[in-house]
Amino acid sequence: MARPPRPSGNLPAEATSFVGRRHELADVRRKLTEARLVSLVGPGGVGKTRLAIRMAADLGRGFPDGAWLVELAEVRDPARVGDAVLTTLDLRDQAATEPLARLLSYLRDKKLLLVVDNCEHLVEAAARLVTEVLKAAPGVRVMVTSREPLSAPGEHVVPVPPLELPVPHTALARLRQNEAVALFVERAAAGSGAFELTAANQAAVVDLCRRLDGLPLAIELAAVRTRVLTAGQILDRLTDRFGLLVGGGRAALPRHQTLRTTIDWSHDLLAAGEQRLLRRLCVFAGRFTLEDIEYVCDSADALDLLSSLVDKSLVTKEDAGDLACYRLHETMREYAVLKLRAAGEQEAVERRFADYYRTRCQRSTAEARFQLVEWLDWMNLEIDNVRSVLRRSLDQEDFSGGTALAVSLGWYWMTRATNEGIRWLDELIASGGGDAQGHFMRGFLAVLQSDPVTAGTALEKAVAAAREPSLLSQSLALASMAANMAGDRASAKRLLGEARAACDDLPATLMSLQAQSLNGLFDGDLDSVRSASSQGVRISREIGDLYSLDMMLFNHGSAMLMAGDLGESKPLFTEALRIAQRIDDRVAQYCLLDALGCHAAGSGEARLAARLLGAAETVRTGAGADILPFLLPLVTRAEQSAAAELGPSRFESEFESGKHLSRAAAIRLALGESPQVPASASADVAPLGKREAEVARLVADGLSNKQIGARLFISEHTVDSHVRHILNKLGFKSRTQIAAWMASSERPKTTPGS
């Protein structure tokens, strides 16, 4: 049976045309046939990243497991280089396995190309990781971009020079074939809409490209100015600037000075407000939104200023779903840092940046569990900025503030990056930031990783320090789970009793019910599991707590499965799997794929069982998780049953087919959906985008703009903008019309005879 096509990787689409580099492309292609590690080395702004992406796109078809771009520009901590590769490969950091070990295990039998971009500030860490990968995974090849070589074993270095310079007095037809000139003309035409290379301007264009040393970034910054200046005017202004640096002579500047001078010139053409915004943007460690800019950069007219910076190629725009976000090119970020320092604003803007993210994260903590999908979407976008604030807390010895911030990210650590959360908490607590909340979250993450020893120690400290009844109760309930994992049934029972006596608010009640359910699954007390999980399902559904609902449905379904009640267990598992897919919790997904595989085996669907069990193994490995102890005997029996029905050879074939399914395909298979990708939830509300559809639904529910902003973690101003766009798109004049249209669009469709 042919394998389904594998994903081709994550290479970004090229937003602008790729110009030139024929010799470098041929050189890199040749080197990658001879060596497994090729480093593209050159100064900032010379075009290393574009060259690497183009080369990877050309070669990607030769790698069955795809070509993958690992971006390190926004990674500041050497310890996170491995995490960045895991994230790129869509692997998770949820279980106790060390990230490097999980990465090497995953790559061992893969045939793929890794493009590790912007390594210069992490050379040693990148070299160590690449060396380990190449030793462990013979089918992997690595292409690196850096301002200096990695000096790793087996490295082949390809210098990336500036573009070929034009020769003066060259015929016009031949000049158009020159790489530097072609880039200038292409970008000028894109920017101005009407630029052409002619006999009248060719001398100015040639001199410009030569003056700019063929550096692509410098050429692009100059070309965009053809909207308001001729090529000759741009040349005159740049020549004056260069002349000041070399005393009016014709001596050549070093290439790094050429780029700096070009950026200086482009910066000096900006209005004062644009200059101010550009330098302040450097505090963002990752992507940022208009809303972020408005507060952090203290800019009331941020939209107009930002639009101008994007138009001038000083800021890059990209889309995250339906939300526009922005970033600075690394060279531009370095320049902006210097300008921020020179303006004497660095400390004030960095403090405002840190305050903004601390406030947003901590204010959203209480509501995040009830709006988990939206909160996780927001955190996925902002996590690099939040990491920067965590590092600042450690550097400035604000350990209690850092711990509070780390605790507020609990849902992100639980569903996305458990090991990373543990590293931050361990460092903060060891530095003196240990409080009841910090110890509680550390214990929670240890329970998720089935580490009862660490969990018990952390939760004992949380219990001792807790002053709030709900936190005390939740800490005791978690300690009960840890004790049960360690085999101490008596302590588990005692701690659960103390938890119930301490508090009975909703969070405490749900934690106690989870402890009762999990302890019952470990002990085989199915009546206790059914009683607790059914209550948990009801409560979590009523309050909109998806994380708890997912767990409670799984607990209840597991009890039914273990009792042999297949009919009752399947709808519980399928609902839980849909939730796990929505919140993208990979550990929950593997558990539910395994559970539905066991259900299929018990229902006589051996082929389906084999595929789901194979798919579950792949998802579990990707999350670095170990199979849950109470699931292990069920999975073993399911494998034996399916193998007996299919025969060992066919079972192995179907199991392998399941292992090679994408997660999305595996989930569709488990849910009984067609192999085609299902229509999106917003299909019925075209022509609205995803975010607009969400806003429209909440308008239809009667929420105000302020309430919608709180629900979706966006500003009231942003909601107002979305509402206006919805009204314009639909040709409406009132929110009442939106509500009526939504009711009509989302009404269940009927078919003839229904």
Side-chain angles (χ1 to χ4, degrees):
M1 180 179 293
R3 290 179 178 178
R6 295 175 186 251
S8 59
N10 71 331
L11 299 179
E14 292 180 300
T16 55
S17 61
F18 184 85
V19 177
R21 298 297 192 189
R22 295 185 304 276
H23 299 305
E24 290 81 2
L25 286 168
D27 194 13
V28 174
R29 184 186 297 274
R30 185 171 57 254
K31 288 281 175 52
L32 275 171
T33 63
E34 302 168 354
R36 294 178 55 216
L37 170 59
V38 174
S39 294
L40 310 185
V41 176
V46 81
K48 301 182 295 296
T49 299
R50 284 298 302 270
L51 176 59
I53 292 172
R54 169 50 64 98
M55 191 74 261
D58 289 348
L59 295 175
R61 290 182 295 275
F63 293 89
D65 295 299
W68 299 85
L69 176 65
V70 182
E71 299 181 271
L72 296 185
E74 293 163 4
V75 177
R76 294 290 177 258
D77 184 353
R80 288 206 59 255
V81 172
D83 294 341
V85 182
L86 285 173
T87 300
T88 295
L89 295 171
D90 199 28
L91 303 176
R92 277 293 159 84
D93 183 27
Q94 285 180 260
T97 312
E98 280 297 314
L100 179 59
R102 182 158 69 263
L103 175 63
L104 298 182
S105 175
Y106 174 81
L107 291 175
R108 190 157 283 118
D109 62 348
K110 297 294 186 293
K111 293 183 178 180
L112 57 78
L113 174 64
L114 279 181
V115 181
V116 188
D117 189 33
N118 285 306
C119 294
E120 52 272 350
H121 59 300
L122 298 164
V123 166
E124 292 183 7
R128 285 194 299 270
L129 181 133
V130 167
T131 300
E132 293 296 325
V133 165
L134 293 176
K135 285 195 296 187
V140 172
R141 292 182 183 249
V142 180
M143 183 162 42
V144 162
T145 75
S146 179
R147 296 180 191 177
E148 60 180 284
L150 297 189
S151 299
E155 179 182 30
H156 284 223
V157 174
V158 175
V160 180
L163 296 173
E164 172 196 3
L165 295 180
V167 176
H169 313 301
T170 301
L172 194 61
R174 186 171 181 182
L175 191 60
R176 289 192 175 100
Q177 300 174 16
N178 175 265
E179 294 180 348
V181 170
L183 179 63
F184 183 90
V185 171
E186 150 72 27
R187 299 300 187 260
S192 67
F195 186 86
E196 292 184 12
L197 183 68
T198 65
N201 64 21
Q202 74 175 86
V205 171
V206 167
D207 282 353
L208 255 179
C209 292
R210 293 181 65 83
R211 266 298 193 179
L212 297 174
D213 286 330
L215 288 168
L217 180 57
I219 290 172
E220 293 194 15
L221 289 174
V224 77
R225 291 294 177 177
T226 56
R227 291 176 181 172
V228 292
L229 299 171
T230 66
Q233 288 174 310
I234 296 171
L235 175 63
D236 290 343
R237 288 167 181 256
L238 275 173
T239 299
D240 289 345
R241 180 62 59 92
F242 289 141
L244 291 174
L245 293 173
V246 294
R250 300 290 295 175
L253 291 169
R255 281 177 180 145
H256 72 274
Q257 187 64 57
T258 297
L259 180 58
R260 169 65 190 272
T261 302
T262 306
I263 296 175
D264 264 335
W265 169 76
S266 189
H267 171 269
D268 289 350
L269 290 177
L270 300 176
E274 294 171 331
Q275 292 178 350
R276 182 172 59 251
L277 181 60
L278 179 63
R279 66 177 178 259
R280 292 178 179 179
L281 291 177
C282 72
V283 299
F284 291 101
R287 296 177 294 180
F288 45 87
T289 66
L290 178 60
E291 184 177 359
D292 299 333
I293 295 168
E294 287 172 336
Y295 183 89
V296 172
C297 300
D298 193 19
S299 178
D301 51 351
L303 177 58
D304 292 338
L305 297 175
L306 181 63
S307 298
S308 180
L309 294 177
V310 171
D311 288 344
K312 295 178 174 68
S313 298
L314 298 172
V315 173
T316 302
K317 175 183 175 291
E318 56 189 56
D319 293 327
D322 282 345
L323 182 66
C325 58
Y326 309 88
R327 66 170 78 234
L328 285 179
H329 185 285
E330 189 61 19
T331 302
M332 201 61 64
R333 187 198 307 276
E334 293 167 358
Y335 177 83
V337 169
L338 297 176
K339 288 295 182 182
L340 191 68
R341 289 174 184 163
E345 297 178 345
Q346 185 173 17
E347 180 58 32
V349 178
E350 287 182 352
R351 185 167 55 249
R352 192 172 177 88
F353 169 82
D355 290 345
Y356 170 75
Y357 282 103
R358 282 200 186 100
T359 300
R360 285 205 68 177
C361 290
Q362 291 171 24
R363 282 182 179 171
S364 68
T365 301
E367 295 301 317
R369 72 185 299 162
F370 309 117
Q371 301 160 25
L372 192 54
V373 175
E374 295 86 359
W375 186 88
L376 287 170
D377 284 346
W378 175 69
M379 189 52 61
N380 288 338
L381 174 67
E382 299 282 11
I383 186 61
D384 284 320
N385 295 316
V386 180
R387 286 177 178 129
S388 175
V389 179
L390 285 168
R391 178 51 55 193
R392 175 185 170 91
S393 299
L394 283 163
D395 292 344
Q396 299 197 344
E397 300 185 358
D398 180 13
F399 306 126
S400 60
T403 300
L405 178 58
V407 169
S408 75
L409 305 182
W411 301 107
Y412 184 83
W413 307 139
M414 293 175 210
T415 61
R416 300 287 188 274
T418 310
N419 269 323
E420 183 187 351
I422 285 172
R423 290 197 297 271
W424 285 115
L425 285 166
D426 283 348
E427 190 171 359
L428 287 160
I429 290 170
S431 300
D435 58 12
Q437 290 278 6
H439 290 304
F440 166 78
M441 183 55 64
R442 182 63 181 89
F444 199 146
L445 299 182
V447 168
L448 290 180
Q449 292 193 333
S450 300
D451 180 2
V453 176
T454 302
T457 301
L459 293 166
E460 184 178 343
K461 293 176 181 177
V463 168
R467 298 294 178 264
E468 182 189 350
S470 182
L471 179 60
L472 174 61
S473 175
Q474 292 178 72
S475 299
L476 287 164
L478 274 171
S480 172
M481 297 183 222
N484 202 303
M485 288 177 182
D488 188 349
R489 305 292 190 265
S491 292
K493 184 175 181 179
R494 172 181 58 79
L495 289 164
L496 182 54
E498 292 177 9
R500 286 175 168 153
C503 184
D504 63 354
D505 70 359
L506 281 175
T509 297
L510 284 171
M511 191 67 82
S512 292
L513 290 172
Q514 174 61 14
Q516 180 181 335
S517 298
L518 191 62
N519 293 349
L521 288 170
F522 275 97
D523 297 341
D525 186 353
L526 301 186
D527 288 338
S528 178
V529 178
R530 282 192 289 258
S531 172
S533 59
S534 60
Q535 290 182 65
V537 167
R538 176 181 57 79
I539 294 171
S540 53
R541 197 190 302 281
E542 287 175 356
I543 64 176
D545 181 350
L546 289 181
Y547 187 81
S548 295
L549 180 58
D550 189 25
M551 290 193 298
M552 294 299 180
L553 288 165
F554 173 66
N555 294 340
H556 200 180
S558 296
M560 294 299 185
L561 182 67
M562 293 166 77
D565 193 341
L566 299 177
E568 288 290 329
S569 66
K570 185 171 183 179
L572 297 167
F573 288 143
T574 54
E575 183 181 358
L577 182 56
R578 286 190 173 94
I579 294 171
Q581 184 180 33
R582 284 185 67 196
I583 64 177
D584 201 14
D585 185 339
R586 306 293 173 79
V587 169
Q589 288 173 19
Y590 105 73
C591 288
L592 289 157
L593 288 171
D594 260 339
L596 285 163
C598 293
H599 178 279
S603 302
E605 299 177 273
R607 182 167 174 263
L608 175 61
R611 288 196 168 198
L612 291 178
L613 294 170
E617 181 174 302
T618 296
V619 177
R620 177 172 57 81
T621 302
D626 294 320
I627 193 165
L628 291 175
F630 67 82
L631 263 183
L632 182 57
L634 297 173
V635 170
T636 301
R637 284 200 299 272
E639 289 176 346
Q640 292 170 345
S641 171
E645 183 172 338
L646 295 172
S649 176
R650 188 176 176 203
F651 171 80
E652 188 62 31
S653 174
E654 296 293 349
F655 189 88
E656 284 296 313
S657 293
K659 285 176 66 175
H660 288 93
L661 289 174
S662 68
R663 272 189 314 104
I667 290 171
R668 290 197 299 272
L669 179 65
L671 296 175
E673 297 172 350
S674 64
Q676 287 74 31
V677 177
S680 68
S682 61
D684 287 336
V685 292
L688 303 185
K690 179 182 175 184
R691 178 64 85 186
E692 290 171 341
E694 291 172 339
V695 171
R697 289 191 183 98
L698 296 175
V699 167
D701 288 343
L703 275 65
S704 68
N705 285 359
K706 184 175 182 180
Q707 291 169 323
I708 294 171
R711 180 75 61 87
L712 299 180
F713 300 97
I714 57 179
S715 71
E716 188 174 352
H717 170 76
T718 302
V719 176
D720 181 67
S721 176
H722 281 308
V723 172
R724 283 188 279 106
H725 288 159
I726 292 166
L727 291 169
N728 289 336
K729 280 187 176 183
L730 301 180
F732 293 160
K733 295 182 179 180
S734 72
R735 297 167 78 94
T736 303
Q737 289 176 295
I738 295 175
W741 184 80
M742 287 299 298
S744 173
S745 297
E746 299 197 329
R747 184 180 300 125
K749 305 295 186 291
T750 59
T751 56
S754 63

